[in-house]
Amino acid sequence: MPTTMFTADELAVIRRAYAHQVMATAATTNPRIEAAFATVPREKFLGAPPWQIANLGGGNRPLPSSDLVLAYQDVLFALQPDNGVNNGSPSLHARLLAELDIQIGDRIAHIGAGTGYYSAILAELVGTSGHVYAVEMDPDLAAHAQAALAERANVSVINADGSQWPQQEVDAIYVNFAVARPAEPWIERLRPGGRLVLPLGVPRQDRPPKGGRHASHGAALRIEHGEGGFAARWIGTAYFVCANGGLTIDDNEIEALTAAFRRGGIEFVKSLLWKTEPRIGRCWHIGGQWALCYDDV
């Protein structure tokens, strides 16, 4: 079990300082998100120590002690090293969460919830009148999330393929793995005015024997369901472990998306077309029944 040399009051101050630093690194100011990071105990979602920090260049390194104060760093903690699954960069998530524009009372689908840390952050943001559907395909990660989130009545943990959720209309969808295309429910069950944040990514072809398959090109996008269609905006570069299950893609899709990333220009995308004929020459990428285009909605 984790140990600590700090009192509960001191740890509360450390969490506040951690949250403040995370927001500064994310270059965003959102008092509600900062308060959520200052409130949620990250150590509940990291598994048993000794914890390992996931290095950006590959591999992991164990921490020298099991002091839970070490959880409050803007680093990635390995959750399943062999699969490349980690707890994620808090500052990256803070930036992406700010793009969701979460309101009290919102109903949110968290796709790829892992052990539930960012589900807990979302639960703080929607309040007791909102609800978070934390969807995780891996049964071990889902079981950890279920235990860690058990006291939060406004969270439901679902062990399922994220490509099949949400199964009802929601206000926002937060995807935490790289995909080469959006799943149908993410578009068709996003209510008018709803927001979707997802990492678009191309899986590396030289998959290592251990460590999972990460994106070789990656970008975070914000999609909003407006009156005339779906507005799209590039948020920034983002690399996540790539999707499995129902969102696995074939070589043709990989080749087409890789070519789009290499051409550049994703920062100029303004709309997502869904099951609509795209205008040739006006799109950054055209996939099967969807496209990212340069024209406004």
Side-chain angles (χ1 to χ4, degrees):
M1 293 293 292
T3 58
T4 186
M5 329 172 28
F6 297 88
T7 67
D9 288 344
E10 288 171 333
L11 280 172
V13 173
I14 288 166
R15 284 195 186 100
R16 284 177 53 209
Y18 154 79
H20 198 59
Q21 291 166 353
V22 162
M23 299 303 289
T25 303
T28 185
T29 54
N30 186 309
R32 295 183 61 240
I33 293 177
E34 183 169 336
F37 273 97
T39 300
V40 175
R42 193 181 188 193
E43 65 272 12
K44 287 181 62 175
F45 303 91
L46 300 181
W51 296 322
Q52 297 181 66
I53 291 177
N55 298 318
L56 291 177
N60 305 295
R61 55 187 172 89
L63 288 172
S65 81
S66 59
D67 192 332
L68 61 80
V69 75
L70 299 179
Y72 296 99
Q73 307 177 62
D74 186 22
V75 296
L76 293 76
F77 284 97
L79 298 176
Q80 289 184 336
D82 289 351
N83 297 326
V85 177
N86 59 65
N87 186 249
S89 161
S91 58
L92 173 60
H93 282 274
R95 184 180 180 193
L96 299 182
L97 289 168
E99 295 285 348
L100 276 178
D101 192 25
I102 301 163
Q103 305 298 313
I104 296 290
D106 275 355
R107 303 180 76 78
I108 297 181
H110 183 197
I111 311 296
T115 56
Y117 178 55
Y118 298 104
S119 304
I121 300 287
L122 288 166
E124 291 286 329
L125 294 172
V126 302
T128 56
S129 60
H131 202 84
V132 177
Y133 301 93
V135 183
E136 174 53 51
M137 186 169 71
D138 184 277
D140 293 334
L141 294 175
H144 188 139
Q146 183 69 62
L149 296 165
E151 296 178 358
R152 294 183 178 270
N154 64 343
V155 181
S156 299
V157 177
I158 299 130
N159 180 203
D161 189 323
S163 68
Q164 305 302 312
W165 283 79
Q167 296 190 348
Q168 60 282 310
E169 199 172 70
V170 294
D171 299 286
I173 300 171
Y174 189 42
V175 180
N176 283 172
F177 48 80
V179 295
R181 56 184 168 85
E184 188 170 289
W186 305 350
I187 303 299
E188 298 191 354
R189 293 182 183 136
L190 191 64
R191 72 160 182 80
R195 293 82 57 203
L196 161 66
V197 168
L198 79 162
L200 192 72
V202 178
R204 289 176 52 184
Q205 296 306 292
D206 55 334
R207 181 172 183 168
K210 289 186 178 182
R213 194 178 190 186
H214 285 78
S216 60
H217 300 277
L221 296 173
R222 182 188 194 273
I223 313 296
E224 182 168 350
H225 187 181
E227 290 184 6
F230 295 91
R233 179 165 52 80
W234 176 74
I235 300 170
T237 301
Y239 295 94
F240 282 73
V241 69
C242 292
N244 291 312
L247 285 165
T248 303
I249 60 172
D250 62 29
D251 289 343
N252 290 333
E253 290 178 287
I254 291 174
E255 185 177 341
L257 188 56
T258 300
F261 272 110
R262 286 176 176 168
R263 284 194 306 270
I266 191 172
E267 63 269 29
F268 302 113
V269 162
K270 293 183 179 178
S271 61
L272 180 145
L273 299 185
W274 185 252
K275 297 182 178 179
T276 302
E277 194 67 28
R279 290 177 59 193
I280 304 301
R282 297 301 305 158
C283 295
W284 176 79
H285 172 67
I286 299 175
Q289 296 193 304
W290 76 286
L292 289 169
C293 299
Y294 299 122
D295 296 325
D296 289 317
V297 174

